[in-house]
């Protein structure tokens, strides 16, 4: 019985590592479907493991971000260097302009 539970924990952990979520969903669903352990115990185990995972992630080393690599890959020195499209080309109207046009058409 406990061997199956540990297998399901390992499966849920692999899924969490690969896709970044669903540890509790997979483990709870699998255990509930096959009735390996009482669900109240499984809920406590999931909460404990999730809390431990979060504490380990938050307490672990923080990577340093190297801004020089971002600048080289994008060619931008600062976010304000981006050229945004000009909204004055007539294609985009403000909501007030559209309402005024609609009112004129109705009268």
């Amino acid at each position: 019985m406990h061997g199956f539970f540990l297998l399901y924990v390992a499966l849920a952990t692999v899924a969490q590592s690969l896709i970044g979520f669903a540890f509790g969903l997979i483990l709870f669903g699998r255990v509930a479907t096959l009735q390996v352990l009482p669900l109240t115990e499984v809920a406590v185990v999931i909460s404990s493991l999730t809390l431990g995972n979060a504490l380990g992630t938050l307490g672990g080393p923080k990577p340093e971000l190297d801004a020089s690599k971002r600048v080289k890959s994008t060619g931008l020195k600062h976010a304000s260097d981006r050229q945004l499209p000009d909204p004055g080309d007539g294609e985009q109207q403000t909501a007030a302009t559209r309402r005024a046009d609609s009112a004129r058409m109705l009268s």
Side-chain angles (χ1 to χ4, degrees):
M1 240 351 142
H2 290 91
F4 283 122
F5 180 71
L6 292 176
L7 177 68
Y8 299 146
V9 169
L11 175 71
T13 303
V14 168
Q16 175 74 24
S17 302
L18 293 176
I19 60 176
F21 74 99
F23 173 79
L25 293 171
I26 292 172
L27 184 57
F28 201 76
R30 181 58 67 178
V31 170
T33 302
L34 300 177
Q35 300 175 351
V36 176
L37 290 173
L39 296 181
T40 55
E41 292 179 18
V42 175
V44 171
V45 169
I46 289 172
S47 297
S48 302
L49 290 174
T50 302
L51 180 62
N53 185 18
L55 291 175
T57 301
L58 293 174
K62 310 290 187 286
E64 296 279 332
L65 297 178
D66 189 5
S68 64
K69 291 181 182 177
R70 181 188 60 85
V71 171
K72 289 178 185 175
S73 66
T74 62
L76 298 175
K77 294 180 183 168
H78 193 268
S80 63
D81 293 342
R82 288 184 292 175
Q83 296 296 322
L84 299 176
D86 183 22
D89 59 1
E91 292 180 17
Q92 297 179 346
Q93 293 181 344
T94 64
T97 307
R98 286 193 297 265
R99 281 193 299 267
D101 289 345
S102 298
R104 247 182 282 142
M105 291 170 68
L106 291 175
S107 58

